[in-house]
Amino acid sequence: MGIPWQTALTAVFIAGVLFMILSVLKIREKIINVIPKDLKFAIAAGIGFFISFIGLKNAGIIVGNEATFVSIGNITAQPTILAVVGLLITVFLMVKGVRGGIFYGIVITTIIGMLTGMINPPKAVVGEVPSLAPTFGVVFDYLPNIFTLDVMTVIFTFLFVAFFDTAGALIAVASQAGLMKDNEIPNAGKALLADSTSAVVGSVLGTSTTASMVESSAGIAAGGRTGFTSIVISICFFIAMFFSPLLSVVTSEVTAPALIIVGALMATEVRHISWDKLESFIPAFMTILMMPLTFSIATGIAVGFILYPICMIAKKDFRTVHPIMYTLAIVFVGYFILM
């Protein structure tokens, strides 16, 4: 679109501020709570299939194909062999009930990769101290530049996609952790406010939209159920910034098995969907299907949100659908028309 990165970063900041306002007013929490339970389970399962697909792609097991869109990759390639070995090791540890099996799988696979020459050993242990100088605070200098149609479109896109990506991630991890009660997520407002605040702070520091990530489910798979898990991970990430050369040995092929297995764990949420009700499982199924096929959580949610009210109207159960769901269906239709 020809928009300078400084202006785009400012758009992230504005979207984050809007997120905070929506979170404080509990609008985001309200929207998440009115989502029908079948769609919530579909979102959780769909994200599971999505991140497993990403894991298979990162491993080189699944690749693009002009004739069939996707196909199996070159299994004899060294990076793919390493990923397959890592997957087998991690599955073995998980089935044996080893706590932290995913982490140990990553460590063992990394060691095997270095011993066999599939991974180059690190050239240093400590890297350069990260600097915020080039990006810190530039959003405040470029605020006057946002009042154009192109930038407003970018802000809306950030707001729209991040809103439902975050909602999907929150639903997925809460469902996997067994925290859902009466189709609602306890303390969802606090989680959403923390998420939106991170987006604002992140943009000021100079990074793109900071949001809750579905990879958080790896912590849940390891037994994490409280915010203390996230605090420990945050501290580890901070320390990791100073040891980037050392951690470069953990390649995407090494972490791919973790994504595949965590995705499999999340996909088990399909068992809660009402498969005996056509009006429920069709929107749910399309939500699941569209996430990996469009490579977008938000798109999968959008498709489900459009289909659900239509199915309920056809079933003459339209009164059971919350007005917010009808509103969102119209918004999503508009989004697809304008995108």
Side-chain angles (χ1 to χ4, degrees):
M1 297 177 68
I3 297 174
W5 67 265
Q6 296 92 336
T7 306
L9 199 59
T10 306
V12 173
F13 174 76
I14 297 299
V17 172
L18 294 175
F19 268 139
M20 287 188 67
I21 295 172
L22 293 174
S23 300
V24 170
L25 297 177
K26 297 190 176 182
I27 294 175
R28 294 175 73 187
E29 183 178 0
K30 180 66 176 178
I31 290 174
I32 290 175
N33 286 336
V34 302
I35 298 173
K37 63 178 182 179
D38 285 318
L39 283 185
K40 278 193 171 81
F41 294 132
I43 290 169
I47 292 176
F49 283 102
F50 181 41
I51 64 174
S52 287
F53 181 71
I54 293 174
L56 291 168
K57 172 182 171 293
N58 291 347
I61 298 173
I62 297 296
V63 296
N65 185 295
E66 291 185 2
T68 60
F69 293 106
V70 293
S71 64
I72 192 166
N74 181 9
I75 303 298
T76 60
Q78 284 194 350
T80 304
I81 291 174
L82 183 62
V84 171
V85 170
L87 179 61
L88 295 176
I89 291 171
T90 308
V91 168
F92 180 83
L93 293 174
M94 293 288 289
V95 174
K96 288 288 289 184
V98 177
R99 290 186 66 85
I102 293 175
F103 173 74
Y104 294 132
I106 291 174
V107 172
I108 295 171
T109 306
T110 301
I111 294 172
I112 291 173
M114 288 192 291
L115 292 177
T116 57
M118 295 184 188
I119 297 177
N120 295 324
K123 296 180 179 179
V125 175
V126 180
E128 295 182 3
V129 177
S131 174
L132 294 174
T135 57
F136 181 73
V138 298
V139 296
F140 301 114
D141 297 329
Y142 282 79
L143 281 175
N145 298 345
I146 67 170
F147 299 103
T148 66
L149 181 60
D150 285 345
V151 178
M152 289 298 177
T153 302
V154 171
I155 292 172
F156 173 76
T157 303
F158 282 148
L159 185 66
F160 183 86
V161 175
F163 186 106
F164 289 100
D165 275 354
T166 298
L170 183 60
I171 290 169
V173 296
S175 180
Q176 184 189 359
L179 299 177
M180 287 257 228
K181 296 180 180 178
D182 299 324
N183 198 36
E184 294 186 356
I185 303 173
N187 297 319
K190 294 179 180 179
L192 292 168
L193 183 58
D195 174 77
S196 56
T197 303
S198 70
V200 174
V201 174
S203 63
V204 173
L205 295 176
T207 186
S208 55
T209 307
T210 306
S212 305
M213 302 300 291
V214 292
E215 285 81 1
S216 301
S217 53
I220 293 172
R225 290 296 183 275
T226 69
F228 185 67
T229 306
S230 300
I231 292 173
V232 173
I233 292 171
S234 299
I235 294 171
C236 290
F237 265 119
F238 178 78
I239 297 172
M241 290 194 299
F242 302 94
F243 296 92
S244 55
L246 177 63
L247 295 176
S248 65
V249 298
V250 185
T251 63
S252 59
E253 293 82 15
V254 172
T255 57
L259 292 177
I260 295 170
I261 291 172
V262 170
L265 294 173
M266 295 177 66
T268 59
E269 294 300 310
V270 296
R271 70 187 187 276
H272 298 302
I273 296 173
S274 302
W275 293 107
D276 57 334
K277 297 180 181 178
L278 197 68
E279 68 276 12
S280 294
F281 77 71
I282 288 181
F285 174 76
M286 290 303 296
T287 298
I288 295 170
L289 184 66
M290 293 300 286
M291 284 187 188
L293 293 187
T294 62
F295 221 73
S296 169
I297 294 173
T299 300
I301 292 175
V303 171
F305 276 37
I306 292 171
L307 283 175
Y308 186 81
I310 294 174
C311 290
M312 297 307 288
I313 290 172
K315 188 67 176 178
K316 296 182 179 179
D317 283 340
F318 56 89
R319 291 187 181 87
T320 62
V321 181
H322 197 282
I324 291 178
M325 291 296 296
Y326 287 113
T327 303
L328 289 175
I330 295 170
V331 170
F332 278 125
V333 170
Y335 171 75
F336 283 131
I337 293 173
L338 297 174
M339 67 183 297

